[in-house]
Amino acid sequence: MSDEDLWRVLRGITDMPYGAGQIAALEQLLRRVDAADDRHLAFVTRMQATEGYIYGGEPAKSFVTFSWCLSEFDQDPQPYHQRHLHKLLWHFKYMVNGLLNFPEVPLDRTYAVLDDMERRYREGGHSLRTVHKYRFRIADHVGDAEAAAHWYRLWQTTPSDDLSDCAGCDPTSQVEYLADTGRDAEAVELAEPVLAGRLNCNEQPQAILTALLLPYLRTGRGDEARDAHREAYRRLRGNLADLWEIGDHVEFCTVTGNGARAVELVERHLDWLDRPPSPAAAMHFAAAAAAALRQAGESTVYRRAAEGRPAAEVSAAALADELAETATSLAVRFDARNGTAHQSEWVARRLAVRASGEHLPLSASVRRPVGRTADRAERVRSGKGERPTVDLPADAGPDDLLDLADQSWGRHDQTTFRAALVAFDERFGSAELPARTSAHRLALRAGERADEEDLESAVELNRAALKLYREVGEDVPAQVVAGRLGVLLARSDEGAEEGLMLVREAAEALDRSGDARERAGGHVRLASALLQRERWADALAALDRAPADAGGDRHLLARIATYRAHLLEQLDRVHEARAAVDEARQLGRELGVGEVIVTACLAHARMADDPADAVAACDEALEAAPADAELPVRVARARALQSAGRAVDAVDDFVEAVTLCVEQGAGGDAILRWELANAYQMVGRLAEAAEVAEEAVLGLDRMGAQAEADRCRHLLAGVYAGLGEVDPALALLEQLAVNLDGPDNLPYRAQVLEEAGGILFDADRDAVAGERFAAAAEEYRRGELPLDELRARRREAYAWFWANDRDAAVRAVEVVDAVAATLAGQAEPPVTYELAMAAEVGARVLIGEGRLDEALGRLDGVPDRLRSIGAFSEAAMAERLAGELLLRLDRPAEAEMLLRRVLGGLPVDAQPVRQTAWLLARALDLLDRPAEAAALRAEHDLDEDD
């Protein structure tokens, strides 16, 4: 590789985003540069590497490159060194700050570098403002408050110059000091004009917004604090170098009562502690994370795999202890180096952080402070908690209470059901009772356990009740319990055979000896068991054998109608299913049973042809839903609203659904966050869409749902692109391309590569865009998708053309022509379009090669073919290009005719009007008609020299 090639590679690397990718490219280049023995290139490459290491999260490596450059500068001065002197002096700041963050580096070494920095600044006639600032930072770090105040005053009173920190970074350090010394109002006042100005530093505005989090909060500016958190964290979240600041955001979430969000941030960045930018950053993040995890109760946290450690769910409490030990031990190392206890005291304060003051909602996906504890989920599942008082007869006997509980269970009256059982246990729990009564209590206790999803206990209790009933010869109750037991067993593959046998025999026995209600109940249980095994037709046949009036039990009729609707829906007998749903819905209304209304309304919503009708059904379900049934209703309503074109309203329901999901400890919140992110994107709330999609990806990865996680990554890449965050979007698309590396995924892999090319092209990174389009085209070729390959090849040629790589552009056009030949003669509009646009890009490339006649020939017939499929703007573009070619070929008369036709066909306010008018005026000039040309330029406000 020639020196010129190496310089070109360096320029390309400089345009790369900071991070591991750029660092790897720089280190590879350094090896080649050293082999080439170009001292100038070696110096400049190491200068760039110093910045790359600092901002890419590996500052320890910058010590080596900086020292090399400084030594080279001092020992053998060269003319080119002076061009980089300013940057070399600037890098001293990185060194002082970096050395301070590694406890193994003695303070004397840091002071020596700072002294050298001061000497060089003085010799160069530069202001010492920055030197004073870094002496302040050292004093502040070791806890010397008096010295810190002294250097702070000098820093603030010394004039700034071009080596002072930028208009954002200097005030950021001031805000941090003011906040640490209890001067929050001053901090906020200082920052206001800074935020009102223009900040274009790599570290801003995220650094100053992070510094303002607690001052905003403590001065009652909750909205500003929330906005600062959201904007700053979004900018920080992808940069390993910003681990310290991310710790500040974790702590802010903890302080504001957003424990769930704090833990989510810890989960997202936990593996960064395996490769922290510095021990100081690790200490800071570990302390903030430990404090957050200490509030997480008995929950678990997902920890990604690392060398020697598999991915796993770990106890939040255990992880909190581990991270607290990490932070504490690092603080001890710093204090040993510094000769003070300041860092240990600082860590102790961080570890003691708790929620304080009023809750400040931060999350775009969870609207209330929620605990992540197991007992919360248990309360929701079991329906425990505050309930309306139920008046029970004081003289009710044990059988009276159990009968009342049984009747209440059948009526879906959980309040009375539980109250009756509590009263039974309080009054008769220790009494000697008849076997029949004990069996009845066991059967109802089994019902309680089944409601709590404790199926193993429910099965064992039902077996015990069945045994007692049979011992005392109570056949009908025994068959009822056998049927219930059979339904539970049918829920698992292991118990299905026994369960179906039990429930079928019970139904047959009740047909012989039970009354109409009992017979109906037997067939309903058989239908339920068959439904569990997805034997839809058999289940429906069982329902059909139940007495039509269910023995007068309207609650049982409602259950039959609900089951029937579900089975008919599964059998795709939609018309009959709708009738059954309407029956169940009406019975639910008449009986006032929210569970029946909810089930019927949700079924109606699923089968509704009109999205507005589905929304109305969900509205009714929401009004009737018990608290523990609200979650599925919110989800259904959100989806219905989205289908009805009401994405703005859908957002609120999705947020509530996610909140309920987290509160209840239910699974599926990651899927709901994915849907919420999509809704946010649809309504243009891209910042929230990004935040929630990031949460969703983390959750889906945690579930092992790679396909869904990748689809969410695809959504997130589009959101990033919409936010103008090109590099995060590209990183996701690159990851998707790797994840989709398989023969079945060729079209999708090609799609994401093409999308990456499009983002790069729009960002004027044309050469890299050309590479991505070429890679996409190759995947389309492997997938035998010639039309898609042609489109990608065409876009590749455009990219090389705009990258001014003429050789690559010509080669790309040759491939375009070869692919186009395989599609010639096909008349479908997409083929017509791509063939026409392939001819157009070929013409542009040939123009760049000076092959004007060939370029014009390529455009022959292209505008007409484009107009034939309604691509009028593309047709006008091709004709305008042909007109330009005619002018360059000295054929102005033909150009005039063509350009007049184009100009006459364009909308008055169209962007190409001015371009076309300019070309037409030029044609008139060449035809020696200056007056017409002048009039045309005046009409379109054109300058002759444009």
Side-chain angles (χ1 to χ4, degrees), residues 82-318:
Q82 290 303 313
R83 296 201 297 272
H84 302 284
L85 175 59
H86 181 274
K87 181 175 284 190
L88 188 64
L89 292 175
W90 189 280
H91 286 181
F92 267 96
K93 295 187 281 186
Y94 299 156
M95 295 306 105
V96 174
N97 195 58
L99 293 170
L100 201 60
N101 290 332
F102 288 82
E104 60 269 33
V105 178
L107 271 185
D108 288 347
R109 172 75 183 281
T110 305
Y111 279 123
V113 173
L114 185 53
D115 290 342
D116 189 22
M117 174 183 174
E118 180 173 349
R119 177 181 65 80
R120 293 173 189 264
Y121 276 39
R122 286 185 184 277
E123 289 176 355
H126 302 291
S127 169
L128 296 183
R129 178 183 176 91
T130 301
V131 175
H132 298 328
K133 174 180 178 177
Y134 282 88
R135 293 199 185 281
F136 155 77
R137 289 182 73 88
I138 295 175
D140 188 56
H141 170 78
V142 301
D144 188 340
E146 184 176 344
H150 167 72
W151 290 114
Y152 182 83
R153 285 192 297 272
L154 279 179
W155 163 28
Q156 295 307 302
T157 55
T158 303
S160 61
D161 65 1
D162 60 353
L163 282 173
S164 300
D165 283 343
C166 76
C169 291
D170 224 32
T172 296
S173 301
Q174 294 172 247
V175 166
E176 290 169 345
Y177 179 67
L178 292 170
D180 287 345
T181 53
R183 295 148 69 182
D184 292 321
E186 289 182 60
V188 172
E189 184 179 359
L190 172 71
E192 285 177 351
V194 176
L195 291 171
R198 183 174 182 178
L199 299 173
N200 52 16
C201 166
N202 287 323
E203 301 175 43
Q204 300 297 344
Q206 60 270 29
I208 194 166
L209 289 173
T210 299
L212 284 165
L213 291 174
L214 294 180
Y216 274 148
L217 189 66
R218 294 190 295 240
T219 55
R221 295 170 170 85
D223 289 344
E224 289 94 331
R226 177 176 52 247
D227 292 345
H229 164 66
R230 286 182 170 175
E231 181 176 353
Y233 177 70
R234 184 168 58 79
R235 292 172 179 268
L236 297 167
R237 69 193 183 286
N239 301 319
L240 177 62
D242 294 325
L243 181 62
W244 178 295
E245 288 76 12
I246 288 169
D248 289 334
H249 287 268
V250 171
E251 181 176 285
F252 177 71
C253 291
T254 301
V255 168
T256 54
N258 291 273
R261 180 169 174 80
V263 173
E264 285 170 358
L265 265 59
V266 171
E267 283 182 330
R268 189 177 302 172
H269 301 285
L270 184 59
D271 62 323
W272 288 12
L273 283 177
D274 297 322
R275 55 188 199 285
S278 69
M283 177 182 71
H284 186 78
F285 179 83
L293 292 168
R294 284 175 172 176
Q295 315 306 307
E298 298 176 13
S299 68
T300 60
V301 174
Y302 179 67
R303 194 175 201 176
R304 293 185 180 89
E307 186 174 351
R309 186 191 69 220
E313 293 280 346
V314 296
S315 159

Side-chain angles (χ1 to χ4, degrees), residues 233 260-272 300-305 311-313 372 669-671 673-674 690-706 708-710 712-713 716 720 732 735:
Y233 177 70
R261 180 169 174 80
V263 173
E264 285 170 358
L265 265 59
V266 171
E267 283 182 330
R268 189 177 302 172
H269 301 285
L270 184 59
D271 62 323
W272 288 12
T300 60
V301 174
Y302 179 67
R303 194 175 201 176
R304 293 185 180 89
E313 293 280 346
R372 294 166 56 122
D669 66 289
I671 296 289
R673 290 176 203 258
W674 175 19
E691 176 186 322
V692 177
E694 288 162 0
E695 296 169 357
V697 167
L698 181 68
L700 292 166
D701 278 341
R702 182 176 181 173
M703 292 165 54
Q706 181 174 324
E708 291 78 7
D710 283 345
C712 191
R713 285 187 178 93
L716 182 55
Y720 284 157
L732 280 176
Q735 182 180 352

Side-chain angles (χ1 to χ4, degrees), residues 336-347:
R337 193 264 312 262
N338 300 338
T340 69
H342 182 67
Q343 293 298 317
S344 293
E345 293 167 357
W346 181 90
V347 165

Side-chain angles (χ1 to χ4, degrees), residues 591-639:
L591 296 169
V593 179
E595 182 181 334
V596 173
I597 296 172
V598 168
T599 303
C601 285
L602 292 184
H604 181 98
R606 284 195 304 272
M607 291 183 279
D609 294 326
D610 181 359
D613 188 22
V615 172
C618 290
D619 288 343
E620 182 180 351
L622 188 60
E623 188 173 342
D628 57 357
E630 185 181 349
L631 174 56
V633 179
R634 288 287 183 183
V635 174
R637 188 171 183 269
R639 292 170 179 166

Side-chain angles (χ1 to χ4, degrees), residues 678-699:
N678 184 54
Y680 273 132
Q681 184 188 38
M682 290 176 66
V683 300
R685 295 168 63 177
L686 297 184
E688 288 110 318
E691 176 186 322
V692 177
E694 288 162 0
E695 296 169 357
V697 167
L698 181 68

